[in-house]
Amino acid sequence: MAEFDLSKMPYSLEAEQSVLGSILIDPECLNEVAILLEPADFYVSQNVAIYSTMLSMFSSGESIDVVTLLDRMKAEGEFDEAQTKSYIVEMAEFVPTTANVKKYADIVKEKSLLRSMINVSREISDACFEEAGAASDILDMAEQKVYDIAHGRSRQGFTPVIEAVTNAYDRLSAMASGDKEKYAGIPTHFVDLDRRLGGLSKSDLILIAARPGMGKTAFALNIAENVAILERKKVAIFSLEMSKEQLVMRILSSQSRVDSRRLLAGEVQDSEWPRIAEAAGVISGCPIKIDDTSGVKISDMKAKLRRERDVDLVIIDYLQLMESGGRFDSRVNEVSQITRGLKIMARELDIPVICLSQLSRGPEQRTDHRPMLADLRESGSIEQDADIVLFLYRPGYYDEAAEEGNQSEVIIAKNRHGPTGSIEVLWMGEYTKFMNLEQNR
């Protein structure tokens, strides 16, 4: 087991006392300090107790000075007659000037980050010495812990509206001057869908939901193909149901226009081999990566995506097969936790995340079979967390004699950025491919 000299942990007693003393002299300092520091950022246990009490008083609107602080600490059982009173009085007298309170707080935060890294290093080292799991699992754990420290090191405050307006104006100017691609969403190349959504925007969680057999995996793979092949964007696919070989066979069928069932059965005609070879060459050169680990958790995904770097789009197939890694009293609460985690992941990595989801049997129980938001299985917060919810609906699935034939709908049930409604696409089932209607004309 790794040994660390905990007596040499980095901290600055002077900085901690100066922060607390500044608040005692001028309680308004807490407005600035509270954004930067949490109680755990202090190292000396007495300072942790004092700052926690100050935050509690601040939250309840109580005035803070030496007398009120001592009284509150007595009430909370944090008071030591022999030490606390003299310590707090001396601390208020110790402060050189309250004008430098942010600098004092920055020093406290810096030391706290160093201690966090030491503690994480110890956990990682212990896990390695104890061989507590596979090396790859320990590596994922290490990456997650270090990332959590980095992500939590700053607590952003308000942004002046003039700054936000300036940024928005600069963005509009850049888009108008021909730099639109840098800011616009990633095109799916389903033309009508892109008009409604403006492409796939960074940090968005996009849910594609349908009943089994409607083609949600095919639709997601078609988007992946378009994004990777036509836009040369890097796509990461997490497949929890199908193997990577099965997914590739679907993509190969879609690209070559060779019947997927005959591909799987190995019944390829001589005339089709050139198309297959050409499609294989195109697919091999496109930036798609597939992970078919079953039961993958969000923490695993984030670790893998951070290692991969520069991923432009993430696709997850599918939600109901994901695990949270925690204990919940119901599957609804667990799925809610997963969707919140997916939205947070999309924001942290600043990329669009497409997640597929099954629907309940609700559509089968209605005469028109059209899906609606209430049909989301184990819905919980799915609708709330998703920025965009798309449903797939094929009338021909329920009625082979339907006049629409292969015509299908992508129903935009929720769109945080614009209009809802539906668009028409063409379903080519033999090739597991959705197409724009005009592509078949």
Side-chain angles (χ1 to χ4, degrees), residues 160 207 406 427:
L207 196 75
N406 289 339
W427 166 241

Side-chain angles (χ1 to χ4, degrees), residues 175 180 183-201 204 206 208 219 222-227 230-231 313 352 354 388 390 410-412 415 417-425 435-436 438-439:
M175 292 175 69
K180 186 174 182 179
Y183 297 98
I186 301 173
T188 66
H189 287 269
F190 288 100
V191 180
D192 292 332
L193 185 63
D194 286 334
R195 287 197 189 105
R196 294 285 185 97
L197 303 183
L200 307 175
S201 299
D204 270 3
I206 301 115
I208 299 176
F219 186 62
N222 295 160
I223 291 175
E225 293 172 52
N226 294 341
V227 169
L230 302 178
E231 296 295 321
L313 173 65
I354 293 176
I388 294 166
L390 305 177
V410 178
I411 301 169
I412 306 170
N415 181 8
H417 313 302
T420 56
S422 66
I423 64 164
E424 293 182 346
V425 292
M435 302 167 56
N436 291 303
E438 59 268 23
Q439 286 181 272

Side-chain angles (χ1 to χ4, degrees), residues 198-411:
L200 307 175
S201 299
K202 291 181 178 181
S203 79
D204 270 3
L205 174 59
I206 301 115
L207 196 75
I208 299 176
R211 288 291 296 152
M214 280 289 171
K216 55 183 179 293
T217 299
F219 186 62
L221 287 178
N222 295 160
I223 291 175
E225 293 172 52
N226 294 341
V227 169
I229 296 172
L230 302 178
E231 296 295 321
R232 305 307 300 173
K233 301 287 188 182
K234 195 171 184 179
V235 180
I237 301 174
F238 291 96
S239 178
L240 285 76
E241 182 179 36
M242 301 173 65
S243 70
K244 58 176 75 76
E245 291 78 14
Q246 290 173 316
L247 290 186
V248 168
M249 289 294 273
R250 285 192 170 211
I251 297 174
L252 197 57
S253 172
S254 171
Q255 284 293 307
S256 65
R257 306 289 179 91
V258 173
D259 191 299
S260 60
R261 288 167 295 186
R262 288 196 293 102
L263 269 181
L264 288 171
E267 299 171 354
V268 180
Q269 299 174 5
D270 290 342
S271 61
E272 294 171 331
W273 279 111
R275 298 208 307 274
I276 294 173
E278 182 180 358
V282 171
I283 297 168
S284 299
C286 75
I288 293 178
K289 294 205 172 182
I290 302 171
D291 185 308
D292 59 0
T293 306
S294 59
V296 67
K297 298 185 287 293
I298 294 176
S299 58
D300 301 327
M301 291 182 180
K302 290 198 311 192
K304 292 174 181 180
L305 291 169
R306 286 196 301 273
R307 277 206 304 270
E308 195 60 39
R309 298 181 183 277
D310 302 324
V311 173
D312 297 295
L313 173 65
V314 177
I315 296 174
I316 303 165
D317 185 13
Y318 59 92
L319 175 63
Q320 281 74 23
L321 293 179
M322 291 184 67
E323 298 177 1
S324 66
R327 294 182 179 180
F328 295 86
D329 56 4
S330 71
R331 179 58 179 167
V332 171
N333 290 338
E334 184 174 22
V335 170
S336 296
Q337 182 67 28
I338 291 171
T339 58
R340 278 193 291 271
L342 290 174
K343 176 55 185 175
I344 291 170
M345 182 176 79
R347 288 200 59 181
E348 286 182 355
L349 301 179
D350 197 29
I351 52 178
V353 173
I354 293 176
C355 185
L356 309 189
S357 176
Q358 287 189 350
L359 292 177
S360 69
R361 297 182 180 275
E364 267 75 4
Q365 297 167 2
R366 293 190 292 272
T367 55
D368 67 352
H369 305 297
R370 294 174 64 84
M372 57 182 61
L373 288 171
D375 298 325
L376 288 170
R377 281 188 60 184
E378 301 154 331
S379 57
S381 65
I382 295 176
E383 179 187 345
Q384 173 185 324
D385 293 323
D387 297 284
I388 294 166
V389 177
L390 305 177
F391 293 136
L392 298 182
Y393 172 61
R394 294 193 288 112
Y397 178 85
Y398 295 101
D399 181 8
E400 293 183 0
E403 293 182 6
E404 295 88 346
N406 289 339
Q407 195 165 311
S408 304
E409 285 183 54
V410 178
I411 301 169

Side-chain angles (χ1 to χ4, degrees), residues 27-149:
E28 291 296 318
C29 291
L30 193 51
N31 291 319
E32 192 166 10
V33 172
I35 297 174
L36 301 172
L37 299 178
E38 298 176 357
D41 291 320
F42 290 81
Y43 181 68
V44 179
S45 58
Q46 198 164 14
N47 293 340
V48 174
I50 292 171
Y51 186 63
S52 296
T53 304
M54 286 177 166
L55 287 179
S56 179
M57 295 174 70
F58 179 70
S59 298
S60 59
E62 299 176 49
S63 60
I64 300 173
D65 56 35
V66 173
V67 176
T68 58
L69 179 63
L70 287 170
D71 185 65
R72 182 64 175 267
M73 294 188 75
K74 282 182 182 179
E76 295 181 353
E78 298 286 354
F79 183 78
D80 184 299
E81 189 70 42
Q83 296 180 0
T84 306
K85 182 176 181 180
S86 59
Y87 182 73
I88 290 176
V89 172
E90 290 172 5
M91 195 163 51
E93 296 172 350
F94 172 79
V95 180
T97 172
T98 60
N100 292 331
V101 66
K102 187 178 182 302
K103 292 182 179 179
Y104 307 147
D106 286 339
I107 295 171
V108 173
K109 189 67 176 180
E110 182 76 12
K111 303 298 183 183
S112 174
L113 286 170
L114 292 173
R115 293 196 303 275
S116 295
M117 287 188 280
I118 290 172
N119 290 330
V120 165
S121 298
R122 181 174 55 187
E123 291 178 35
I124 296 168
S125 181
D126 286 349
C128 290
F129 277 111
E130 295 167 5
E131 300 186 37
S136 59
D137 293 336
I138 295 174
L139 181 59
D140 287 345
M141 178 271 286
E143 289 182 335
Q144 182 63 46
K145 287 183 176 294
V146 173
Y147 180 81
D148 288 343
I149 293 173

